[in-house]
Amino acid sequence: FQLSPSQINDILRAGELSHKTLDLNGNSANSVLRFESNQLASNSPIEDRRSAATCLRTAGMLFGVFDGHAGAACAQAVSERLLQYIAVSLMSRQALEEIELAVESMKPVRPILQWHKHPSDVEYEEITSQYFENLRVYWQHLLDLDSEPGFSLEEAMICAFKRLDSDISLEVQAPQENELMRNIALQVAFSGATACVAHVDGVHLHVANTGDCRAVLGVREEDGTWSTLPLTRDHNAYDEFEIRRLKREHPRSEEKTLFVNDRLLGILMPSRAFGDVQLKWSKELQHSILENSCDVEALNIYQYVPPNYHTPPYLTAEPEVTYHKLRSKDKFLVIASDGLWEMLSNEKVVKLVAGHLTELSVQKPQLTFKKPVNLGYMHNLLLQRKSRGLASLDQNIATHLIRHAIGSNEYGEVDHEKLAAMLALPEDLARMYRDDITVTVIYFNSETIDNY
């Protein structure tokens, strides 16, 4: 079964999303020039999710990539909720009081975020009100703190990650009459998701990471060469810091069983994640929740207690936050799920984005027309453009990266036969050759950054 080039493009481009940041006068005074994003499934349905939003009550933009495992439910919930928890954590006391007053007096609440979504982004409509109620409990908690919340950005991100994970855990323990809501809460808590979120405000870039998604900065040096600056560490068995951290948190008798076959307790690749209550709760709590509640098989919940499960929790959703002050030579940030990084190195990704930027600028059609313009002249212009390959070039950089990730040969060039074969794999085989891939590339506005 051979896919044609246009079929390949249709599959690769289906998830494309791009957004240009403009202020009210149509200028881009924002340090984010634009962002481009895409995703390609290998699981059916896809377990990755992504989010992007502009903060309406505080400064800055938020971008997130979420890699789900054991189902999509946890990644789905985190993609809908985490950016809101971060936004609330950053709001002033006055702004929090204002929204609490509006909710109390049943007036419409001004939105906290302006979302930038793809038409196919799904939402659990049924559970939105429940999520809002729990977000409200969180901002009430922030109002109960005696002083101005006054979190630094790093503290706000850490607090938001931990609070959302705690809410995911508590929601499934709370008595719930509505069976659908209960089932969703169960699926969210018993599946898992890693998360990488960037907050960009002027020259201030913060990246919060839990798990093995990754954020890498593309830097154009003064001599025109490109360098890479990773802003995250993969939290897994290959990371010395993570191994030491887990050994500190558990008795010496467990040193040999914390990681088995490079997986946490022999089960999970990432050593930090949302959900995954099987690695956080006591055995007794797991049994009591699952026994009372549900048809475990129908909900695709894996019911297991790993061997050597003595001193939970073994897993945390607490992120590591990196701060970077943007310079005019910092041109773009790539955030992606591990499906991309398994196929391409940090350096290769930056090289591909940089090369693509150069190609796009070279290939921009010159709009200087000789007068009078006639059809023959336009036709020739189009032919010239076509011969320069503009027609085949992906306009969306995330698509370009995905194309290379699954279609590159040993020389680093896209092999169309390989690409076609990888995209035509049946569902049950695809997962053996590639993971879900989600990529968001954020381009920075060097002039704006210079002005800061």
Side-chain angles (χ1 to χ4, degrees):
F1 176 60
Q2 190 66 38
L3 296 170
S4 70
S6 68
Q7 285 172 316
I8 288 174
N9 286 341
D10 288 346
I11 295 170
L12 286 178
R13 292 173 181 170
E16 287 186 342
L17 170 67
S18 58
H19 176 79
K20 245 196 170 112
T21 7
L22 298 171
D23 66 12
L24 295 173
N25 308 322
N27 307 316
S28 182
N30 197 316
S31 56
V32 173
L33 199 56
R34 66 181 191 281
F35 76 88
E36 293 173 355
S37 178
N38 197 355
Q39 51 185 180
L40 180 72
S42 91
N43 291 294
S44 180
I46 186 169
E47 294 181 348
D48 278 9
R49 293 291 184 272
R50 58 186 168 175
S51 298
T54 302
C55 300
L56 296 175
R57 303 297 194 91
T58 53
M61 290 183 80
L62 285 161
F63 303 92
V65 167
F66 313 98
D67 185 350
H69 46 262
C74 189
Q76 173 67 37
V78 174
S79 72
E80 283 183 45
R81 303 175 71 182
L82 181 57
L83 304 196
Q84 291 187 316
Y85 277 64
I86 294 171
V88 162
S89 309
L90 290 171
M91 283 161 65
S92 67
R93 190 174 190 86
Q94 186 187 345
L96 292 174
E97 281 168 353
E98 188 190 308
I99 57 171
E100 177 55 28
L101 194 64
V103 177
E104 253 177 47
S105 49
M106 297 178 78
K107 291 188 173 141
V109 178
R110 277 195 318 163
I112 298 167
L113 294 171
Q114 179 193 349
W115 293 93
H116 309 297
K117 293 193 172 188
H118 186 269
S120 71
D121 285 352
V122 285
E123 256 190 22
Y124 287 158
E125 296 288 336
E126 311 80 12
I127 207 164
T128 316
S129 58
Q130 165 96 54
Y131 286 168
F132 182 78
E133 276 310 306
N134 289 350
L135 183 67
R136 184 186 179 190
V137 173
Y138 177 42
W139 80 57
Q140 287 171 337
H141 160 73
L142 293 176
L143 282 169
D144 286 343
L145 303 172
D146 290 337
S147 57
E148 178 75 27
F151 283 137
S152 69
L153 229 146
E154 179 176 348
E155 289 164 341
M157 290 178 102
I158 291 172
C159 191
F161 272 63
K162 288 166 76 172
R163 176 66 183 223
L164 175 55
D165 194 51
S166 159
D167 282 358
I168 286 169
S169 176
L170 292 171
E171 282 158 11
V172 71
Q173 297 172 55
Q176 176 64 264
E177 293 298 308
N178 180 320
E179 193 185 349
L180 176 70
M181 306 272 251
R182 174 148 192 77
N183 287 347
I184 290 175
L186 277 160
Q187 286 181 315
V188 169
F190 280 87
S191 59
T194 62
C196 185
V197 176
H199 179 279
V200 190
D201 173 19
V203 289
H204 305 297
L205 168 62
H206 289 81
V207 178
N209 184 53
T210 285
D212 52 8
C213 294
R214 203 180 288 174
V216 174
L217 202 61
V219 183
R220 189 169 186 187
E221 303 296 348
E222 282 175 19
D223 62 2
T225 59
W226 288 88
S227 63
T228 56
L229 181 61
L231 295 179
T232 55
R233 269 189 316 117
D234 296 352
H235 298 136
N236 57 29
Y238 304 110
D239 185 86
E240 280 300 315
F241 293 103
E242 282 298 279
I243 294 170
R244 286 208 292 274
R245 175 183 69 80
L246 275 149
K247 284 182 177 174
R248 275 199 310 274
E249 292 171 7
H250 297 277
R252 286 194 66 172
S253 56
E254 292 186 56
E255 279 193 1
K256 293 209 164 33
T257 55
L258 282 173
F259 287 100
V260 179
N261 297 330
D262 294 328
R263 287 171 178 260
L264 185 62
L265 298 187
I267 288 166
L268 198 62
M269 281 294 280
S271 55
R272 301 190 193 198
F274 284 90
D276 287 320
V277 291
Q278 305 91 318
L279 297 174
K280 293 174 180 171
W281 289 355
S282 68
K283 295 177 192 176
E284 295 72 30
L285 179 55
Q286 290 183 48
H287 285 310
S288 70
I289 294 292
L290 289 176
E291 274 166 20
N292 299 335
S293 57
C294 64
D295 180 343
V296 173
E297 275 180 32
L299 293 176
N300 274 339
I301 287 172
Y302 302 111
Q303 198 174 3
Y304 53 76
V305 175
N308 305 304
Y309 194 77
H310 307 299
T311 52
Y314 289 91
L315 193 63
T316 177
E318 180 168 341
E320 230 178 350
V321 180
T322 309
Y323 170 69
H324 177 78
K325 188 174 181 183
L326 289 169
R327 310 153 294 181
S328 55
K329 65 180 184 174
D330 299 324
K331 299 301 181 188
F332 56 83
L333 178 71
V334 182
I335 310 175
S337 58
D338 67 343
L340 182 78
W341 308 110
E342 282 165 6
M343 303 288 205
L344 299 171
S345 67
N346 295 358
E347 291 71 25
K348 180 67 178 167
V349 165
V350 166
K351 194 176 165 188
L352 283 168
V353 179
H356 191 262
L357 274 175
T358 310
E359 259 184 89
L360 276 181
S361 61
V362 166
Q363 299 201 353
K364 272 204 176 129
Q366 302 306 312
L367 289 178
T368 46
F369 295 137
K370 289 182 194 159
K371 293 198 172 143
V373 174
N374 61 33
L375 278 175
Y377 176 71
M378 291 298 287
H379 183 65
N380 277 339
L381 258 187
L382 286 170
L383 285 177
Q384 283 171 19
R385 276 178 68 184
K386 209 164 181 181
S387 69
R388 287 206 305 256
L390 188 70
S392 64
L393 187 69
D394 289 311
Q395 294 300 304
N396 186 307
I397 185 59
T399 310
H400 185 65
L401 289 173
I402 293 171
R403 190 185 292 273
H404 275 267
I406 62 169
S408 280
N409 59 21
E410 64 267 39
Y411 308 111
E413 293 157 353
V414 173
D415 175 336
H416 290 284
E417 281 185 18
K418 182 184 177 188
L419 187 59
M422 287 289 269
L423 290 174
L425 287 169
E427 280 171 16
D428 48 345
L429 273 181
R431 190 64 192 82
M432 295 165 69
Y433 289 92
R434 57 185 176 85
D435 197 353
D436 295 333
I437 303 176
T438 299
V439 185
T440 296
V441 181
I442 300 131
Y443 290 101
F444 299 116
N445 187 336
S446 305
E447 284 177 31
T448 310
I449 288 167
D450 256 350
N451 292 338
Y452 277 97

